[in-house]
Amino acid sequence: MNDAAPAPTPAPAPRRRARVRAPELIGKGGWINTGGDDLALSDLRGKIVLLDFWTFCCVNCLHVLDELRDLEEKHRDTLVIVGVHSPKFVHEAEHQAVVDAVERYEVHHPVLDDPELATWKQYAVRAWPTLVVIDPEGYVVAQHAGEGHANAIRALVEELEAEHEAKGTLRRGDGPYVAPEPVATDLRFPGKAVLLPSGNFLVSDTTRHQLVELAADGETVVRRIGEGVFREPQGLAQLPDGTVVVADTVHHALRRYDPATGTIERIAGTGKQWWQGSPTSGPALDVDLSSPWDVAWWQGRVWIAMAGVHQLWTYDPATGTVEGAAGTTNEGLVDGPAAEAWFAQPSGLSATEDRLWIADSETSALRWIEQTDDGYAVHTAVGTGLFDFGHRDGDAAQALLQHPLGVTALPDGSVAVSDTYNHALRRYDPASGEVTTLATDLREPSDAVLVDGDIVVVESARHRLTRLRLPEEAVQVEAVAHRTRREATEVAPGRLRLDVVFQAPKGQKLDERYGPSTRLLVSSTPPELLLAGGGTGTDLFRELDLNPELTEGVLHVSAMAASCDDDPENEYPACHVHQQDWGVPVKVTEAGVARLPLILAGMDA
């Protein structure tokens, strides 16, 4: 990769409040969590409004939902959070799927279902998640992309409260949120399952934050486990000693459950989310994790699908340590040596003697890792990248999946894939290189377990386990292919100026005491799109040279900035990390722009 020549970071511009009228909120899917009422921005005049552009496949969006909960509660009488659901995948444009996701992730504010990205376009959003702050008079005053902005938004909300209280333009009182009626089912959006030696099933009952043991019929509840202990648990892996490791996803931890005694103990993670610059190895209870989504026992260690940072980690119960095992934290699909591979929300694992199979959800891919003479290597069986998905059988090189969350190794050496957003169970046969469909008419399958020659599927959105007989012949399905529904940015050929806009929150500054506090990584698909300007640097701007022989592609941009409280009297100021990855489809045309601004935090002047 070629880096742009280093240049000094320009001094920050003086803070000024831009006056941009907020566009109206429109979406064909309508409103959720409002008791059936439609909302307009005029209904919210007098309130501080925070728009959260999200999509339910995106783990970073789920992190932001959690970041905002405390802010939402503390400023409930002045702040209205409005989720704007902006789909990446076709399944996410289905209204019922959005309704399910709002319940699944306990979204306690109004949500606008915008399947055609109308409001997304009006606000010129380029990434999930993006947060936009609107003041009580209806003007956009800030925009943030990615994670880590909760403290900055809290400070801005408090500033806006004081300013508009003084002006008489702040309206206190309840917001428009109306809670939906609860639904009684034994399971609620179950995630993963394992078969216990007793023949019973252990299931992660994700939305109810517990484990549930079901009898061998897959229906009768034997007991509920861990109430008040877990937070959206997902993956389960049985260890040789009979205990079960649980991916306690939102707590960013691993716990061990002993079915014999009923005891639960934390074995890895601190409860805090991992951020860039944090340790990636060490005593398991001292190292932060990030949204572990699945776990599997392989080669004497627990392997962890660390969805939150697009990596695989391992936990060694013999030494009580964890370490990063594969992936760079960059989001995408790159094979090769484990340390150089790119993943995108790995969410399902299944081990055989010589391979660990991986459902890499955001790339709609089936991948595997194996040990070689030089270490571990990552390979892809099905999938091409972040933007292409669908339901297509046949040769694996052209087959398509749609956001799979689970993978199950079968006795004949093939692999069953819980093809979540296609509502299907698929099969990949390494011997023939073919992909087929085993079953359809499932509802968001997220895992599957082999039982006596049958396969028991976790139908997450039907809140149940479903037993299927493995078919002798494949199900015939009409092939469909899709691309992520985002318009390409038209850019001019030749030199393109990339600016990542970052303004430190009020009362904070970039802390350069120990070196640069910003990082920018740029690459492209295909790699030939960039003639110069790729690679890693510390400035949040870059001059890119585009290949004149290519007319389209994707720019991959990853930015990070760390700001600290600006208090000279405090020797140990609190610091906050802000980070975001963008995948920007571009089309090279003579009429295109010569500058590409991406807002990490602030407003583009």
Side-chain angles (χ1 to χ4, degrees), residues 183-304:
V183 182
T185 53
D186 288 332
L187 301 174
R188 205 70 193 159
F189 298 103
K192 307 287 186 181
V194 293
L195 185 66
L196 297 173
S198 64
N200 290 352
F201 295 94
L202 187 65
V203 184
S204 54
D205 196 18
T206 302
T207 300
R208 294 213 175 105
H209 314 297
Q210 59 187 213
L211 309 181
V212 176
E213 184 178 339
L214 299 177
D217 61 8
E219 298 179 2
T220 306
V221 175
V222 176
R223 54 179 160 170
R224 299 184 180 275
I225 301 141
E227 185 176 356
V229 176
F230 299 107
R231 184 75 183 171
E232 293 182 26
Q234 285 284 347
L236 306 166
Q238 196 153 34
L239 301 188
D241 65 4
T243 60
V244 177
V245 173
V246 183
D248 194 1
T249 304
V250 174
H251 280 151
H252 309 295
L254 300 186
R255 300 186 192 274
R256 177 162 33 208
Y257 164 61
D258 187 343
T261 64
T263 58
I264 301 170
E265 61 174 335
R266 179 170 56 91
I267 57 172
T270 64
K272 297 179 181 178
Q273 184 182 342
W274 186 94
W275 289 98
Q276 290 286 353
S278 301
T280 57
S281 64
L285 292 172
D286 298 336
V287 177
D288 298 338
L289 308 181
S290 181
S291 296
W293 210 274
D294 203 6
V295 281
W297 178 252
W298 188 53
Q299 296 191 341
R301 289 180 288 171
V302 175
W303 287 70
I304 310 164

Side-chain angles (χ1 to χ4, degrees), residues 351-405:
T352 64
E353 185 176 349
D354 58 350
R355 290 184 179 183
L356 181 68
W357 291 98
I358 305 152
D360 201 29
S361 61
E362 279 292 283
T363 53
S364 297
L366 171 65
R367 307 176 73 184
W368 82 88
I369 187 169
E370 64 181 357
Q371 191 165 21
T372 68
D373 293 339
D374 300 320
Y376 289 99
V378 176
H379 309 272
T380 297
V382 182
T384 60
L386 286 164
F387 299 97
D388 293 292
F389 59 93
H391 192 149
R392 187 162 63 198
D393 288 332
D395 182 75
Q398 56 83 53
L400 293 172
L401 309 169
Q402 186 180 180
H403 198 77
L405 291 178

Side-chain angles (χ1 to χ4, degrees), residues 1 10 24 33 169 198 234-235 272 289 300 360 425-426 433:
M1 292 287 196
E24 190 51 83
N33 280 355
T169 50
S198 64
Q234 285 284 347
K272 297 179 181 178
L289 308 181
D360 201 29
L425 191 67
R426 311 285 292 284

Side-chain angles (χ1 to χ4, degrees), residues 50 52 59-75 79 81 105-106 109 129-131 144-154 231-232 250 252 272-275 290-291 308 576-580 600:
L50 175 59
D52 176 13
V59 71
N60 310 93
C61 300
L62 304 185
H63 290 166
V64 168
L65 281 174
D66 290 323
E67 287 179 5
L68 296 178
R69 293 189 198 280
D70 185 57
L71 178 76
E72 186 171 30
E73 183 58 36
K74 287 185 176 178
H75 297 272
L79 172 69
I81 297 179
Y105 297 117
E106 298 181 300
H109 50 250
T130 290
L131 301 169
H144 304 263
E147 302 179 49
H149 301 291
N151 281 289
I153 293 173
R154 174 190 50 76
R231 184 75 183 171
E232 293 182 26
V250 174
H252 309 295
K272 297 179 181 178
Q273 184 182 342
W274 186 94
W275 289 98
S290 181
S291 296
H576 311 280
V577 178
H578 319 265
Q579 64 182 40
Q580 174 61 21
L600 180 60

Side-chain angles (χ1 to χ4, degrees), residues 540-558:
L540 293 180
F541 58 89
R542 190 77 59 84
E543 298 288 345
L544 309 179
D545 285 336
L546 303 180
N547 189 337
E549 297 181 3
L550 297 179
T551 59
E552 62 181 9
V554 178
L555 292 176
H556 303 283
V557 181
S558 178

Side-chain angles (χ1 to χ4, degrees), residues 32-33 102-103 107-108 177-183:
I32 304 166
N33 280 355
V102 167
E103 180 190 350
V107 179
H108 294 160
Y177 169 67
V178 177
E181 290 293 324
V183 182

